[in-house]
């Protein structure tokens, strides 16, 4: 006769939704520190690809989702994640404790003052919470700093769900098609406040550097507190 499994042990045994296999991750590459056109790929010559292993080393997580089989509004602020019909999205929501969501469309027809908003999104910054984006349509780029303080451009498309860890320096832009339909998820009350670089004295940045230490001294920047 086997011993009964305690409820707490059964909960621990629950299998969480695994991240996508390496071959399913989006393409990523190094870009210059300065770019003339934020909407272009901006690959170096020759291209310098960035591996999935290197993305994981800076805290990036990625899931490949089914954005074809389910319909979502063009805009809904907020959007209750409990309304999700996709069982995979439901599991990820429960696994990671996402209690808030909204859905936005970044496009000149749906985002007032489009050009200036995109310039603001492209300012290098951190957040004091994890950033979660599920791409429902369109395409674009997340730029993140690697462990050598170089810019890594990650291409995002329909069906991509990616998380950026709290405190990572990053920025966002759509590509030259000027369209991103995205779900933003959050734990608890949403706070979208960006803290623009320099802010190495910010607690979230300190937490990030402790978890994902740089591999070199990097650029010797005089960082001021936020």
């Amino acid at each position: 006769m086997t011993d009964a499994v305690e409820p707490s042990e059964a909960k621990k045994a629950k299998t969480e939704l695994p991240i996508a296999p390496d071959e399913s991750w989006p393409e990523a590459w190094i870009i210059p520190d300065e770019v003339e056109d934020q909407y272009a790929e901006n690959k170096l010559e020759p291209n310098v690809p960035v591996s999935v292993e290197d993305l994981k080393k800076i805290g990036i997580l990625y899931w490949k989702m089914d954005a074809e089989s389910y319909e979502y509004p063009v805009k809904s602020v907020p959007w209750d994640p409990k309304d999700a019909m996709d069982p995979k999205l439901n599991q990820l929501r429960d696994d990671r404790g996402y209690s808030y969501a909204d859905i936005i469309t970044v496009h000149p027809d749906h985002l007032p003052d489009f050009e200036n908003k995109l310039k603001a999104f492209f300012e290098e910054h951190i957040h004091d919470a994890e950033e979660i984006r599920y791409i429902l349509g369109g395409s674009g780029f997340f730029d993140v700093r690697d462990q050598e303080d170089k810019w890594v451009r990650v291409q995002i498309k329909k069906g991509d769900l990616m998380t950026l860890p709290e405190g990572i320096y990053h920025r966002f832009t759509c590509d030259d098609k000027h369209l991103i339909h995205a779900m933003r998820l959050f734990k608890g009350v949403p706070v979208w406040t960006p803290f623009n670089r320099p802010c190495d004295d910010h607690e979230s940045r300190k937490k990030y550097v402790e978890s994902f230490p740089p591999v070199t001294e990097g650029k010797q920047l005089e960082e001021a507190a936020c």
Side-chain angles (χ1 to χ4, degrees), residues 9-27:
E9 293 180 9
K11 187 175 181 180
K12 289 179 183 177
K14 177 180 177 292
T15 302
E16 291 191 352
L17 186 68
I19 62 174
D22 288 4
E23 61 270 18
S24 297
W25 281 55
E27 184 183 0

Side-chain angles (χ1 to χ4, degrees), residues 17-20 61-65 92 96 159-163:
L17 186 68
I19 62 174
L61 298 176
Y62 173 80
W63 292 264
K64 187 64 178 178
M65 309 295 287
L92 189 66
R96 300 183 66 80
D160 293 341
L161 192 154
M162 191 166 70
T163 70

Side-chain angles (χ1 to χ4, degrees), residues 9-213:
E9 293 180 9
K11 187 175 181 180
K12 289 179 183 177
K14 177 180 177 292
T15 302
E16 291 191 352
L17 186 68
I19 62 174
D22 288 4
E23 61 270 18
S24 297
W25 281 55
E27 184 183 0
W29 56 88
I30 298 293
I31 65 171
D33 274 347
E34 300 292 334
V35 297
E36 292 185 5
D37 180 1
Q38 72 184 64
Y39 307 117
E41 289 186 339
N42 290 301
K43 292 181 177 180
L44 298 176
E45 291 290 346
N47 182 39
V48 181
V50 175
S51 69
V52 173
E53 180 183 0
D54 286 336
L55 293 178
K56 292 176 181 177
K57 285 180 180 178
I58 56 174
I60 305 298
L61 298 176
Y62 173 80
W63 292 264
K64 187 64 178 178
M65 309 295 287
D66 179 6
E68 295 287 350
S69 301
Y70 305 94
E71 293 186 1
Y72 298 95
V74 171
K75 180 179 180 180
S76 180
V77 182
W79 183 80
D80 191 340
K82 292 180 181 178
D83 290 342
M85 301 299 292
D86 180 354
K88 191 173 180 180
L89 180 59
N90 284 340
Q91 182 177 351
L92 189 66
R93 174 200 68 200
D94 294 342
D95 287 348
R96 300 183 66 80
Y98 300 144
S99 56
Y100 174 93
D102 62 26
I103 296 173
I104 61 171
T105 297
V106 179
H107 182 272
D109 291 344
H110 300 289
L111 183 66
D113 200 19
F114 175 84
E115 291 289 345
N116 286 328
K117 288 285 179 61
L118 265 292
K119 288 179 182 178
F121 294 161
F122 204 61
E123 288 289 334
E124 184 174 3
H125 62 278
I126 67 170
H127 295 292
D128 58 3
E130 177 186 55
E131 180 162 340
I132 308 100
R133 294 292 182 272
Y134 176 20
I135 308 305
L136 306 172
S139 51
F141 307 108
F142 265 112
D143 295 343
V144 293
R145 290 286 189 181
D146 70 5
Q147 291 177 295
E148 297 180 2
D149 206 34
K150 296 178 181 177
W151 275 125
V152 174
R153 173 150 284 194
V154 184
Q155 188 171 41
I156 50 174
K157 299 178 180 179
K158 186 174 184 176
D160 293 341
L161 192 154
M162 191 166 70
T163 70
L164 309 183
E166 174 186 345
I168 190 173
Y169 281 128
H170 67 284
R171 62 191 183 190
F172 162 81
T173 184
C174 53
D175 59 20
D176 56 8
K177 298 179 181 65
H178 290 184
L179 172 63
I180 283 276
H181 184 206
M183 180 185 299
R184 307 187 295 183
L185 295 136
F186 204 84
K187 299 175 183 177
V189 179
V191 180
W192 310 119
T193 305
F195 300 94
N196 289 350
R197 190 171 187 174
C199 57
D200 277 5
D201 287 343
H202 192 285
E203 287 304 315
S204 291
R205 181 60 188 171
K206 291 178 180 178
K207 178 180 176 182
Y208 177 80
V209 171
E210 183 177 351
S211 299
F212 306 98

